[in-house]
Amino acid sequence: MPFNIIVCIKQVPDVKTVRFDPKTGTLIRDGVGAVINPVDLNALEAGLGLKDAVGGEITAVSMGPPQAKEALMEAMAMGVDKGVLLSDRAFAGSDTLATTYILAKAIERLGAFDIVLCGKQSLDGDTAQVGPGLAARLGIPSVAYVEEMRLVEGGMFRLRRETDLGCDIVEIEPPFLATVLPSINKPRLPSLKGKIRAKKTGVIVWDADDIQVDPEKIGLNGSPTRVLSTYVKGFDAKGEMLSGTAEEQADALVKRLKDANLL
């Protein structure tokens, strides 16, 4: 039973090169590389693995500036059939509420689907809200923090999701949305054949008019979230060498922990 799968991905700053301006409280983006949000690679692999097993088609969707095409080209080089970039100056400043609206309008234009996959959260936003919010926009159930996804009899899926107390086993039939954890799989690398195919196919680019969005629901107009300030969390550490025998040092350590109300 082939499935029509949509995977939402995001291009984020490469944390290996990102820097922070302590005076302005903003990221220094000049010279900073960009990569696919790491856990979005796991979402891609989950879709590709399902396609390998039963067939189907995978469309990767991303919202971002024109350079986000690179992320979609990489996804296509991994085996994704089609890449769609949602890019328009009107999208700038969108928070998770506006982003889910834009993504939902794009998915509506793509037509019928069976499964939507997302990484659990992005490195830069770190909210974990887009996946569940998108499911609500699409009117489909969602399962978050998925660490295993199996197709079982009757076209049903058995998902294991991580919880604070252990795990839940959820059986669900399409259509549904799942946000995945890094532990669900090991993403494959792009192939040379895939890169050649991606270059020939290219990325589809849609702007605000193409997906017929309401201007009042996108960008800053549609985003109730306001960032009032940012800061770099400080970490002041100091060390103290304890003297004496091992027992004396242990006693001294226990005393200090008790004095600090940590024991």
Side-chain angles (χ1 to χ4, degrees):
M1 178 186 295
F3 292 100
N4 190 354
I5 303 165
I6 294 171
V7 184
C8 297
I9 67 173
K10 184 178 183 182
Q11 190 181 53
V12 298
D14 186 350
V15 294
K16 295 177 182 176
T17 58
V18 73
R19 294 172 294 156
F20 198 84
D21 187 333
K23 294 182 179 178
T24 62
T26 58
L27 291 177
I28 301 172
R29 296 183 180 273
D30 292 343
V32 175
V35 297
I36 296 177
N37 184 50
V39 74
D40 293 350
L41 292 172
N42 298 97
L44 286 168
E45 181 58 40
L48 290 167
L50 182 59
K51 179 186 172 184
D52 290 344
V54 298
E57 182 177 278
I58 304 177
T59 302
V61 178
S62 183
M63 187 181 85
Q67 56 265 35
K69 275 185 182 179
E70 298 169 4
L72 289 163
M73 292 290 283
E74 182 178 342
M76 294 169 71
M78 292 172 66
V80 166
D81 298 283
K82 185 165 57 181
V84 178
L85 174 63
L86 311 174
S87 188
D88 194 307
R89 288 186 179 276
F91 298 156
S94 295
D95 65 3
T96 56
L97 185 68
T99 297
T100 57
Y101 171 68
I102 295 165
L103 290 173
K105 293 294 287 183
I107 291 173
E108 286 176 10
R109 177 171 174 178
L110 286 170
F113 64 90
D114 298 299
I115 301 169
V116 180
L117 298 170
C118 307
K120 71 178 179 73
Q121 63 199 93
S122 65
L123 277 181
D124 52 356
D126 205 30
T127 66
Q129 295 173 349
V130 169
L134 177 57
R137 295 277 194 189
L138 296 171
I140 59 175
S142 68
V143 184
Y145 301 101
V146 173
E147 56 185 4
E148 183 177 285
M149 181 173 74
R150 289 186 179 180
L151 177 62
V152 293
E153 294 181 355
M156 296 285 288
F157 282 80
R158 183 173 296 144
L159 310 182
R160 188 175 72 201
R161 64 184 295 268
E162 182 183 271
T163 71
D164 290 339
L165 300 177
C167 69
D168 290 335
I169 304 297
V170 179
E171 290 198 349
I172 191 170
E173 63 179 344
F176 66 86
L177 182 148
T179 69
V180 306
L181 296 175
S183 56
I184 192 172
N185 53 41
K186 182 179 179 180
R188 68 191 67 185
L189 296 173
S191 67
L192 177 59
K193 183 179 178 181
K195 291 180 180 178
I196 295 173
R197 186 181 61 82
K199 190 173 182 180
K200 288 181 178 178
T201 304
V203 171
I204 299 168
V205 181
W206 287 345
D207 62 17
D209 290 336
D210 290 324
I211 54 176
Q212 299 182 345
V213 291
D214 182 344
E216 295 301 316
K217 294 183 178 180
I218 62 175
L220 292 175
N221 288 337
S223 302
T225 304
R226 294 289 181 270
V227 179
L228 300 181
S229 66
T230 60
Y231 67 96
V232 177
K233 187 177 181 180
F235 179 72
D236 296 325
K238 58 182 180 181
E240 178 183 357
M241 297 298 293
L242 300 175
S243 59
T245 65
E247 289 78 9
E248 290 171 340
Q249 293 179 40
D251 289 341
L253 176 60
V254 169
K255 182 177 184 307
R256 283 164 173 71
L257 292 173
K258 287 182 176 179
D259 290 345
N261 293 321
L262 296 175
L263 284 180

